[in-house]
């Protein structure tokens, strides 16, 4: 297995992971970098929250009809903003569809609390599916993490942020009047080297991904456990507050823990592979 190396010939765990490309002519290979870009990052999380915030505030100040139109307006503004900036609109379209379903249910029933029904059902399903993947030794957080950032590449093993290492290397080269490191060629990149062993063959990696999957399942099921009694009690205001508090802040905290653990797993895989490699 080949790996990026620094000037001293050592493995460079902070190097950017190369992109996957199609192996056979006419075949289709998922590009994990493209998928990661489509997820939207922090911007995508904030954009997904804006329609709900607009609905909660407008419904509290005005009435259900006002809340519905404000939620739709916020979702459309997010879509238009991304179109103007020529950014990915996949998540904006998904958010608009979700808002349309939620407001349709609320409008049909005439009750603002039903705006949160799709979210409660979605959280329950995701939480159960996540938990069910752990006993099967296919923890879904691990499946997703290994697709987006394979641990055997060690792309998250560095203590720096992704992409920061290249900027530092470029600045260092300019300081010493050396040519900067070559930029990756536009378009297709060379295929990722195959791992010496699958991540599921490493008990430590599987165990860590299992605990991360349980943590994410708990975050989804916690929302269900808190919001369901509020829904049954017809506490619309508290239901909205719970949706916001248990939404982006909890997701951000869980994501921070996940990134920290995954970075340690990448270092573990890099050190293990380096130790198993023959001298020279």
């Amino acid at each position: 297995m080949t790996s990026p190396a620094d000037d001293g010939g050592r493995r460079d765990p902070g190097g950017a992971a190369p992109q996957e490309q199609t192996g056979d002519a006419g075949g289709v290979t998922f590009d994990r970098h493209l998928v990661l870009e489509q997820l939207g990052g922090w911007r995508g999380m904030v954009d997904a929250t804006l329609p709900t915030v607009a609905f909660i505030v407008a419904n509290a100040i005005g009435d259900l009809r006002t809340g519905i139109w404000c939620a739709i307006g916020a979702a459309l503004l997010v879509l238009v903003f991304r179109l103007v900036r020529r950014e990915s609109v996949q998540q904006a379209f998904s958010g608009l569809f979700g808002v349309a379903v939620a407001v349709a249910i609320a409008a049909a029933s005439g009750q603002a609390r039903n705006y949160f029904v799709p979210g409660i059902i979605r959280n329950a399903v995701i939480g159960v599916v996540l938990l069910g993947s752990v006993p099967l030794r296919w923890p879904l957080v691990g499946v997703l993490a290994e697709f987006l950032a394979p641990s055997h590449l060690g792309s998250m093993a560095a203590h720096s942020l992704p992409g920061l290492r290249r900027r530092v290397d470029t600045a260092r080269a300019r300081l010493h009047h050396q040519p900067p490191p070559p930029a990756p060629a536009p378009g297709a990149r060379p295929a990722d080297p195959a791992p010496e062993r699958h991540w599921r063959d490493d008990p430590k990696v599987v165990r860590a991904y299992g605990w991360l999957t349980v943590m994410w399942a708990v975050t989804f099921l916690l929302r269900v456990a808190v919001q369901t009694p509020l829904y049954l009690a017809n506490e619309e205001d508290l239901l909205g507050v719970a949706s916001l508090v248990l939404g982006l802040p909890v997701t951000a905290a869980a994501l921070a823990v996940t990134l920290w653990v995954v970075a340690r797993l990448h270092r573990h895989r890099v050190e293990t592979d380096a130790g198993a490699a023959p001298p020279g």
Side-chain angles (χ1 to χ4, degrees):
M1 180 180 70
T2 60
S3 61
D6 58 15
D7 293 339
R10 298 183 300 275
R11 183 189 301 269
D12 180 5
Q19 249 180 341
E20 296 173 349
Q21 64 181 11
T22 303
D24 300 328
V28 177
T29 301
F30 286 107
D31 187 339
R32 70 171 186 277
H33 299 274
L34 180 60
V35 172
L36 187 59
E37 179 183 348
Q38 295 298 320
L39 290 178
W42 290 105
R43 273 281 312 281
M45 295 171 61
V46 173
D47 290 348
T49 306
L50 289 179
T52 300
V53 174
F55 176 83
I56 294 171
V57 174
N59 181 68
I61 297 176
D63 53 13
L64 175 59
R65 183 181 297 274
T66 305
I68 288 175
W69 284 112
C70 286
I72 295 176
L76 288 175
L77 283 177
V78 170
L79 177 60
V80 171
F81 182 75
R82 284 182 172 270
L83 286 173
V84 170
R85 292 176 59 89
R86 297 183 178 180
E87 298 174 345
S88 171
V89 296
Q90 177 177 332
Q91 197 166 41
F93 274 118
S94 300
L96 181 59
F97 176 77
V99 170
V101 172
V103 298
I105 295 175
S109 63
Q111 296 182 345
R113 65 173 183 166
N114 287 331
Y115 177 89
F116 303 96
V117 168
I120 295 175
I121 296 175
R122 181 183 65 247
N123 289 331
V125 172
I126 294 177
V128 171
V129 171
L130 285 172
L131 283 181
S133 68
V134 176
L136 299 177
R137 297 192 75 253
W138 278 98
L140 289 181
V141 170
V143 174
L144 180 61
E146 290 293 325
F147 172 70
L148 297 177
S151 58
H152 72 278
L153 297 179
S155 57
M156 294 182 63
H159 295 280
S160 59
L161 293 173
L164 182 60
R165 183 182 180 87
R166 173 171 177 76
R167 296 189 184 96
V168 172
D169 291 341
T170 302
R172 184 182 302 163
R174 291 176 178 174
L175 182 63
H176 294 86
H177 304 287
Q178 298 174 350
R189 296 187 180 95
D192 293 334
E196 294 182 356
R197 63 170 176 167
H198 197 273
W199 63 270
R200 293 183 66 246
D201 295 330
D202 190 327
K204 180 177 180 179
V205 174
V206 175
R207 185 165 54 250
Y209 280 141
W211 281 113
L212 286 177
T213 303
V214 171
M215 178 192 70
W216 278 100
V218 169
T219 64
F220 285 102
L221 295 178
L222 176 63
R223 295 165 186 158
V224 178
V226 173
Q227 289 181 300
T228 300
L230 296 176
Y231 172 82
L232 296 176
N234 200 21
E235 295 287 349
E236 296 178 358
D237 294 338
L238 292 179
L239 189 59
V241 172
S243 176
L244 294 179
V245 173
L246 298 176
L248 187 58
V250 172
T251 300
L255 184 60
V257 173
T258 301
L259 292 176
W260 179 75
V261 173
V262 170
R264 292 178 63 87
L265 291 179
H266 278 225
R267 288 198 292 273
H268 163 71
R269 289 292 301 274
V270 168
E271 293 169 358
T272 300
D273 290 346

